[in-house]
Amino acid sequence: MPPLAIDRRKLATIGATGAAAVGLLALPAPQATRPTADKRVIKLKYILKICVPSWRSSTILILSMHTFFLVLRTYLTVVVARIDGRLVKDMVAADGKSFLRGLGYFMAIALPATYTNSMIKYLQSKLAVALRTKLTNHVHKLYMGNNTFYKAINLDNRIDGADQLITTDINRFCTATANLYSNVGKPLLDIIIFNYQLARSIGLTGMWGLSLNYIVTATILRAVTPPFGKMAAEEAKLEGDFRSAHSRLITNAEEIAFYNGEELEKSILNKTYTRLIKHINSIYRIRIAYNMFEDFLIKYSWSAVGLIIASIPVFFPNAAGGRTKREEAALALQDAADIATPDADHQMIMDRKTGNRTQGFITNKRLMLSLADAGGRIMYSYKELSELAGYTYRVYNMLRVLEDLSEDKFVKPESTSEPPFTIENRRGVLKYSDEFIRFDKTPIVTPYGDTILVDDLTIDVPAGSHLMITGPNGAGKTSILRVLAGLWPHFAGTITRPAPSLSSIMYLPQRPYLAIGSLRDQIIYPHSHKDMLAAGRTDDELAQILKIVYLDYIPSREGGWDAVKEWKDVFSGGEKQRVQLARLFYHKPRFAVLDEATSAVSTDVEALLYSSAKEAGMTLITISHRPSLFKYHPYLLRIGEGASQNKWVVEQIGTAKSLVDSVESEVRKLQGQLDNMDALRQRLSAINRELSLDAKAGSGMENAKRTLI
Ligand SMILES: Nc1ncnc2c1ncn2[C@@H]1O[C@H](COP(=O)(O)OP(=O)(O)OP(=O)(O)O)[C@@H](O)[C@H]1O
């Protein structure tokens, strides 16, 4: 069977309108317009709820510790600003003793300050990892449950590059969220505390000036900021395309090499890379102008505003407010004492006043600079915030689509005619029995309900009986198995089959799958080594199984059961299929469903394998075009019959009629070969004649003639 692939022609028509038209989704399709701020917050909240499910979650502990260190750092900044002001004052007043004491305080603060800074960085990374772990676990649960990964790849095209989304985009989202918490949380805290501190010396006028400055800057930046979120989402998508182009190359390396397809593949790789780089370069170009403007606004104009405001207490001492009653009383006392002091001490008074002004100015300047830095970081994080919005959109979209798919809600292509079946009106009934597989008036229909491949299939395969399915290419043979396994929707009729369990029913696909792991893991898949030991199975048993499938030479050739290799590159096509059959003999299911599972195995070995499988008590359902397999199955289901090509017939192999049919078909085949023989004989004698005409052609020609005769 060909590998199951989504019908891209049909899906190409899906768009936002298509999705909405079918009414399957609450979500817009990925091409939808840019979400509003409200919707973005809802989406972020939705994802964060998955990351932080409860107050007792470990993420909350990390978050609390992170917050504690952020507060501590802000407090330490205020303390450092005060010490700095005092140091400069002592310097101006030439008070060496006090200066040295201040220096001692300054150094004593350094130790907790450096520890605090490293803890903030450490906890920020821990927070990102904790968010990523929670989100990845949730996505793995969704993606690997209810065959959602299969549906996402084969039955719906809303998720483009699930691997990129799960491995990279989730990581980017979590890193951006953790960064945002410290890049916004910390400066916000700084602003509140520094403003409070400053309010005490720069007064109400200064505070008004500062607030006005923030509002004007934020308004200008908001107006000129390019849509970084949209750009980040597009960049992530293009990164995914580039990555998947490389994964395709790795998966299909041998086929491409045989076809000498390097040039074409290189051009595909280059094209996807160029698209990505073009986009990244355009972002960089946009950023030059934006960064220039942002720097000018935040670094330089803010510093100028800061200096003006910090100088308020110097030039307008009465405008400054916010002194405590005790400070006011001390100042009044000092002024009264100054008035009563004799003239000779006036210089000292002036020096002390200058010192006080310097201390106030330096402390305020330091706080102002920290404030400018905090405000700047908030403004800069506007860009990060919009990038986070881009990742949020991609991750949220993936989560919602995975949820839809786990409930079998696909987005189907827009179609002009009403399909015979719809997802909403599925009426298929599934029953479980270990004794038989039965289809009762079950149509085999493509996933969107638009094409009936097999009309109302009705067939019974009791345990101990065997069925072979045959029919033209594309008739729907594999699709019968897809519906039986529950991969495709079951629209109508009743299917009875064993409940999914390896000892009841096992499917062997045409294209063998080899897992990551040891040689042993290939035979026991999907069991793990732990499962195997728990089931009391041994390596000796595996060796016996390899004998049945004629692979007993493999363990010694490959370096034992524990050897780990890229097995798909190690085994030949026939060996891969025989490894799959070894799995069958390991699990010994009651029903074995084989989809052209021996097509690469020679017919003599195939015959022995079928005999062994029947001896092991398995009931076989085989899809094959090989008449040599007829004799192992008492029943034959032919599909693709009739003018509509969706009719079917069941025949009993070995009955008088089927014998006549198969003898007649064999006679027809032999007659065809005989006709061909006459033509070949005529051609042979013509060549012989040509060769004898040229008798002098030498011994080389004579040899050729002898070979041909
Ligand atoms: N995801 C899909 N969506 C829509 N149609 C599909 C999908 N997958 C397969 N089909 C179509 O369903 C039809 C039946 O496919 P199926 O693989 O069952 O054929 P088959 O009888 O096994 O063919 P072959 O003998 O070539 O392996 C084909 O026309 C195929 O193009």
Side-chain angles (χ1 to χ4, degrees), residues 1-2 4-7 10 154-155 446-448 453 471-480 482 488 510 596 625 639:
M1 308 295 113
L4 181 57
I6 195 155
D7 189 336
K10 290 174 191 163
N154 291 294
L155 307 180
T446 49
Y448 306 118
L453 297 167
N473 292 132
K477 299 181 292 296
T478 306
S479 305
I480 297 177
R482 290 176 190 134
W488 277 15
Q510 183 190 19
E596 304 249 24
H625 294 284
I639 63 165

Side-chain angles (χ1 to χ4, degrees), residues 645-666:
Q645 297 192 337
N646 63 10
K647 300 291 174 216
W648 50 271
V649 283
V650 180
E651 290 169 12
Q652 205 174 344
I653 300 174
T655 58
K657 183 181 176 307
S658 74
L659 273 176
V660 170
D661 283 354
S662 65
V663 167
E664 275 177 359
S665 103
E666 193 142 10

Side-chain angles (χ1 to χ4, degrees), residues 580-596:
Q580 281 211 120
L581 287 156
R583 281 177 201 158
L584 206 62
F585 288 104
Y586 171 82
H587 291 289
K588 284 207 190 94
R590 195 135 197 229
F591 289 88
V593 185
L594 292 88
D595 186 352
E596 304 249 24

Side-chain angles (χ1 to χ4, degrees), residues 91-305:
M91 232 186 314
V92 170
D95 186 347
K97 232 167 140 186
S98 184
F99 178 76
L100 280 177
R101 205 177 315 124
L103 213 57
Y105 290 147
F106 192 77
M107 290 314 290
I109 291 287
L111 200 69
T114 46
Y115 177 70
T116 306
N117 283 341
S118 352
M119 278 311 277
I120 286 173
K121 277 192 197 132
Y122 167 72
L123 288 166
Q124 188 171 322
S125 315
K126 277 283 279 184
L127 184 63
V129 171
L131 296 176
R132 185 181 179 184
T133 306
K134 278 272 182 330
L135 205 53
T136 306
N137 285 344
H138 178 83
V139 168
H140 280 176
K141 211 165 138 194
L142 267 180
Y143 194 55
M144 299 311 293
N146 208 6
N147 282 325
T148 303
F149 66 97
Y150 171 87
K151 296 169 194 165
I153 295 159
N154 291 294
L155 307 180
D156 195 294
N157 77 338
R158 277 174 294 163
I159 297 181
D160 204 2
D163 52 347
Q164 168 80 7
L165 277 160
I166 298 172
T167 55
T168 309
D169 289 7
I170 286 188
N171 185 26
R172 285 184 178 162
F173 168 83
C174 295
T175 311
T177 309
N179 288 354
L180 202 73
Y181 180 69
S182 52
N183 289 357
V184 172
K186 159 88 173 69
L188 264 181
L189 196 76
D190 285 356
I191 286 179
I192 295 167
I193 294 177
F194 296 156
N195 275 339
Y196 171 73
Q197 292 291 325
L198 275 169
R200 295 174 58 193
S201 64
I202 62 176
L204 220 63
T205 330
M207 285 316 295
W208 274 113
L210 264 185
S211 312
L212 196 70
N213 181 38
Y214 293 150
I215 294 166
V216 171
T217 318
T219 316
I220 298 175
L221 274 182
R222 205 179 138 73
V224 301
T225 304
F228 285 120
K230 214 173 146 194
M231 290 180 200
E234 177 67 11
E235 184 185 332
K237 188 197 163 296
L238 293 174
E239 288 274 12
D241 291 350
F242 182 49
R243 182 196 173 118
S244 75
H246 268 288
S247 324
R248 268 189 61 258
L249 189 70
I250 293 169
T251 316
N252 304 300
E254 188 168 283
E255 290 80 354
I256 293 169
F258 268 130
Y259 278 119
N260 267 337
E262 291 118 306
E263 273 311 311
L264 183 69
E265 297 299 328
K266 193 172 85 191
S267 74
I268 294 172
L269 291 180
N270 286 345
K271 225 184 275 170
T272 42
Y273 179 71
T274 313
R275 264 206 303 265
L276 168 68
I277 286 308
K278 253 187 177 165
H279 180 72
I280 291 180
N281 277 334
S282 74
I283 297 182
Y284 288 161
R285 272 195 300 278
I286 293 171
R287 273 195 183 158
I288 295 176
Y290 177 77
N291 285 351
M292 264 177 67
F293 185 72
E294 194 182 45
D295 264 18
F296 174 80
L297 204 67
I298 293 170
K299 275 201 187 137
Y300 296 96
S301 58
W302 275 36
S303 297
V305 172

